[in-house]
Amino acid sequence: MNNIKMFLVRYAEIGTKGKNRYVFEDMLCKRIRNRLKPNGDFDVRRDFGRIYIEALSDYDYDEVVAKLTKIFGIVGLCPVTVAEELTYECIRDAALEHFDESFGPDSDSEYNGFNFSFKVHTRRVNKEFPMNSMEIDMEIGHDLLEKYESEGLHVDVHKPDVMVEVELRGDKGYVYSRIIPGPGGLPVGTNGKAMSLLSGGIDSPVATYMIAKRGVEMEAVYFNSPPYTSARAQEKVEKLGTIVAQYAGPIKLHIVNFTDIQLCIYDNCPHDQLTIIMKRIFFQIAERLAAANDCQAIVTGESIGQVSSQTMQSLGVIDAAVDCPVYRPVIGMDKQEIVEYSQRIGTFETSIEPYEDCCTIFVDKHPVTKPKMKSIEISEKHLVGKVEELIDKAIETAEIKWLK
Ligand code: ATP
Ligand code: MG
């Protein structure tokens, strides 16, 4: 499909935003422009409640489609063949060319080979065209049948496999028929910013993706504990963040060295509470990084009951460590559902690489599953006067990497 010069972008939810609609549309256009910059010269414009992407230079069709189908806000993408002049002959030629490219034997369509039912639907925005919509439907339908009927093409006006849309607008005609599904959601940048706690596991990349999908710009924080955790473990987190960034846009990753804090907890607190206390400090650091970077919430990949630190009691005690909102989009999902989600977005294979996590190295054999706030507070008293300075230092020395 290299001759496609234009795409029509379908978006759904943006359309419900009333007066703010243009803000969402403009942000979506901006996201599209940014993502396609390295791929060629494209004109991205808003026109009568639609977004058109027109290629002004050569480009790699597969690469561009792969990128566009990862932009939040896009529900579907229609490759368009353009009739450069508003004459019947020109529109017909565009329709025939469109069919060859979309449904030829080499195409990636499920209907390749022309053996399917279709219907033509014309929208005549430019009313000056001498034929009316019905006449165009009939004529284009007739011409398509004439060429492809012998290969199995047939008309079904009630439940066609393929709806061929013909639009006459301004001084051009547009023909499209395929909708390549996009990820849906809202354009990133239309809904504030959040700080995601990103580990190398399966859950937190999915959580990051889910919040970004609602239009939220993401930053991320990763706590590592060298030499107890390896450079490979950090690389894995960066790789996961980079995969999510293909959807969410560039992610600013804060890499926080947690070793001294972890040892301080280990030396001073009961070992069955290590994970809870460590998580509380993760949250406190994340909250401070969030505040310093204009983020309005923190995000984690926790799910009720998955491990001891994710019981209702544990989550409550961890939550109480911070004032800012904590979003846990996978909270009600089963592990298998999160796994399937991660497979769909492409993070799964990386998540299951076997590098150690700082949580797993210091975990007790019998961690508390129903921690009491009082008892955690008593344990944390042992950290007073020792851990504050370590926390400040960890924040000051955090390394920043842009993932894109
Ligand atoms: P994940 O699959 O996301 O690693 P998990 O099932 O391993 O989660 P936990 O280890 O209890 O569960 O972590 C719960 C959440 O805490 C993670 O989803 C993540 O948001 C955060 N988290 C855990 N470890 C780290 C870390 N080293 N750095 C940053 N965030 C972390
Ligand atoms: Mg983990």
Side-chain angles (χ1 to χ4, degrees):
M1 296 252 291
N2 291 329
N3 221 3
I4 293 294
K5 295 282 187 292
M6 185 179 273
F7 295 92
L8 173 67
V9 174
R10 289 178 174 240
Y11 48 90
E13 213 174 335
I14 302 176
T16 66
K17 299 291 168 194
K19 276 190 193 149
N20 280 336
R21 177 186 173 126
Y22 73 94
V23 176
F24 289 79
E25 290 172 336
D26 284 348
M27 188 56 86
L28 182 52
C29 288
K30 188 174 148 193
R31 293 285 160 207
I32 294 170
R33 280 186 204 109
N34 283 347
R35 290 296 286 149
L36 295 187
K37 220 170 253 164
N39 294 75
D41 195 6
F42 294 89
D43 178 38
V44 181
R45 62 179 181 274
R46 217 156 41 93
D47 191 14
F48 299 105
R50 293 172 168 230
I51 291 173
Y52 294 94
I53 304 169
E54 188 178 358
L56 305 174
S57 65
D58 286 342
Y59 69 98
D60 184 316
Y61 175 85
D62 293 331
E63 257 179 42
V64 163
V65 169
K67 279 193 173 180
L68 291 173
T69 49
K70 286 184 174 160
I71 296 178
F72 293 132
I74 297 183
V75 169
L77 194 65
C78 306
V80 183
T81 305
V82 182
E84 294 294 341
E85 289 169 31
L86 264 198
T87 61
Y88 178 76
E89 289 69 28
C90 212
I91 297 165
R92 177 202 57 207
D93 290 349
L96 292 172
E97 180 188 318
H98 184 78
F99 252 55
D100 277 333
E101 289 188 342
S102 305
F103 309 112
D106 299 333
S107 83
D108 58 356
S109 161
E110 59 177 311
Y111 295 117
N112 75 357
F114 307 112
N115 184 6
F116 57 84
S117 64
F118 81 110
K119 174 186 175 178
V120 181
H121 173 244
T122 303
R123 222 170 310 190
R124 211 171 46 120
V125 180
N126 180 346
K127 304 281 185 206
E128 280 164 25
F129 194 74
M131 295 160 77
N132 69 28
S133 305
M134 292 258 276
E135 287 166 339
I136 301 169
D137 291 351
M138 302 267 285
E139 284 302 309
I140 295 286
H142 174 267
D143 287 337
L144 287 170
L145 270 183
E146 194 171 74
K147 184 160 179 199
Y148 303 109
E149 196 168 19
S150 59
E151 310 196 34
L153 188 70
H154 53 286
V155 173
D156 182 341
V157 290
H158 301 297
K159 275 188 89 180
D161 295 327
V162 172
M163 185 72 117
V164 181
E165 304 280 354
V166 176
E167 270 186 36
L168 312 186
R169 277 178 192 272
D171 59 355
K172 290 198 169 77
Y174 303 96
V175 182
Y176 56 94
S177 59
R178 292 183 60 197
I179 304 173
I180 304 168
L186 298 169
V188 169
T190 54
N191 247 326
K193 204 166 25 149
M195 179 68 65
S196 185
L197 278 83
L198 188 64
S199 64
I202 295 169
D203 309 327
S204 50
V206 172
T208 310
Y209 173 101
M210 288 175 87
I211 296 296
K213 188 175 176 208
R214 298 309 301 161
V216 181
E217 202 178 321
M218 299 307 295
E219 295 201 6
V221 53
Y222 167 61
F223 299 96
N224 67 359
S225 303
Y228 304 100
T229 59
S230 65
R232 300 291 291 276
Q234 180 180 324
E235 279 163 24
K236 178 180 163 185
V237 171
E238 290 173 18
K239 207 162 131 192
L240 285 167
T242 305
I243 297 171
V244 177
Q246 303 313 300
Y247 303 88
I251 293 177
K252 186 179 178 185
L253 173 68
H254 305 259
I255 300 160
V256 174
N257 186 324
F258 201 71
T259 313
D260 292 341
I261 301 169
Q262 193 141 30
L263 293 172
C264 179
I265 306 170
Y266 195 80
D267 291 341
N268 293 287
C269 299
H271 286 187
D272 63 350
Q273 296 177 344
L274 287 181
T275 309
I276 298 289
I277 294 172
M278 180 185 77
K279 283 274 159 67
R280 281 169 55 85
I281 298 180
F282 277 5
F283 272 44
Q284 287 163 357
I285 293 176
E287 183 181 42
R288 282 174 59 178
L289 289 173
N293 288 278
D294 287 329
C295 300
Q296 293 93 36
I298 62 182
V299 174
T300 82
E302 289 158 318
S303 150
I304 293 173
Q306 208 185 75
V307 289
S308 66
S309 58
Q310 298 178 23
T311 61
M312 289 293 281
Q313 291 82 355
S314 301
L315 291 170
V317 168
I318 296 169
D319 247 20
V322 291
D323 294 322
C324 72
V326 181
Y327 296 137
R328 300 180 167 99
V330 304
I331 193 78
M333 286 165 79
D334 296 345
K335 191 72 189 184
Q336 186 53 29
E337 290 173 314
I338 306 173
V339 164
E340 282 162 20
Y341 207 119
S342 72
Q343 285 168 330
R344 208 163 61 235
I345 66 176
T347 50
F348 181 72
E349 292 303 324
T350 306
S351 288
I352 57 173
E353 285 174 12
Y355 302 114
E356 71 294 335
D357 188 347
C358 66
C359 306
T360 45
I361 289 169
F362 288 88
V363 288
D364 192 63
K365 279 201 187 69
H366 302 288
V368 283
T369 55
K370 293 182 180 170
K372 294 261 182 313
M373 196 62 236
K374 263 263 134 349
S375 141
I376 299 291
E377 275 167 0
I378 291 168
S379 304
E380 285 180 350
K381 288 230 165 69
H382 300 297
L383 299 174
V384 173
K386 303 187 182 97
V387 82
E388 299 84 350
E389 213 174 298
L390 299 178
I391 291 177
D392 288 346
K393 187 171 158 227
I395 292 174
E396 276 159 30
T397 58
E399 186 190 347
I400 288 169
K401 281 200 177 170
W402 278 95
L403 307 179
K404 51 188 168 195

